[in-house]
Amino acid sequence: MTKRKANPFLGRWRIVWMEMWDQDFIDMEVPGHFTFEKDGQGNFQFGLVQGDMDYRVDGSRVEFSWIGNDEMDEASGRGCARIEHGELIGRIFFHRGDDSEFRAIKA
C-alpha cells in the first residue's frame, strides 16, 4: 500500500496582499481568505468576491477552478499557487476579466 503524501495546502490561508486590490477591499465583509478542504474542495472570499473551488495538487503547486459571485454577478475563473517560505503565493483569474497575484499566510 502506498502512503499518500500530506497535502500542504489544506486549511485556511489569510490573504495579506493582492496586486489589484488594497487590504480594506480584501477585508470588506470578512477577513480575505482561501480555504482548501479535503477531497479537492475549497472556497475563498475577498471583498465582495466569493467562490467555491475545485482544486488539484500537482507536486509543489495547487491549481483550481472556481465559480461564485462578484458582488451580485455570477463569476468564475481559475487560479494557481505555490508555498514559498511558508507563504501561499499565487494568481487568481476571472473568466474574461481581471487577474491578480496574491499572497496569503496560514491562519
Side-chain angles (χ1 to χ4, degrees):
M1 177 185 258
T2 306
K3 187 176 179 181
R4 287 185 82 166
K5 188 175 178 181
N7 180 349
F9 298 97
L10 281 179
R12 188 178 188 94
W13 294 81
R14 170 85 168 90
I15 301 170
V16 295
W17 176 84
M18 293 188 86
E19 176 183 24
M20 296 290 292
W21 299 283
D22 65 23
Q23 202 66 40
D24 286 339
F25 176 80
I26 294 167
D27 298 334
M28 184 182 294
E29 284 194 324
V30 301
H33 68 91
F34 284 89
T35 301
F36 296 92
E37 299 167 354
K38 292 181 180 178
D39 300 325
Q41 303 297 306
N43 62 78
F44 68 86
Q45 183 168 349
F46 57 88
L48 300 174
V49 180
Q50 67 81 30
D52 292 319
M53 299 185 298
D54 175 21
Y55 75 88
R56 302 290 183 276
V57 176
D58 182 14
S60 62
R61 292 173 44 98
V62 63
E63 297 181 359
F64 59 90
S65 59
W66 66 271
I67 187 166
N69 294 291
D70 181 356
E71 294 189 38
M72 297 301 287
D73 298 323
E74 289 184 8
S76 63
R78 62 187 172 86
C80 59
R82 68 190 183 286
I83 298 172
E84 200 170 288
H85 306 294
E87 190 173 53
L88 186 69
I89 300 170
R91 183 167 290 277
I92 186 167
F93 299 86
F94 289 74
H95 183 68
R96 295 185 175 173
D98 293 329
D99 64 275
S100 180
E101 185 176 352
F102 65 85
R103 293 179 182 271
I105 56 174
K106 200 82 176 250

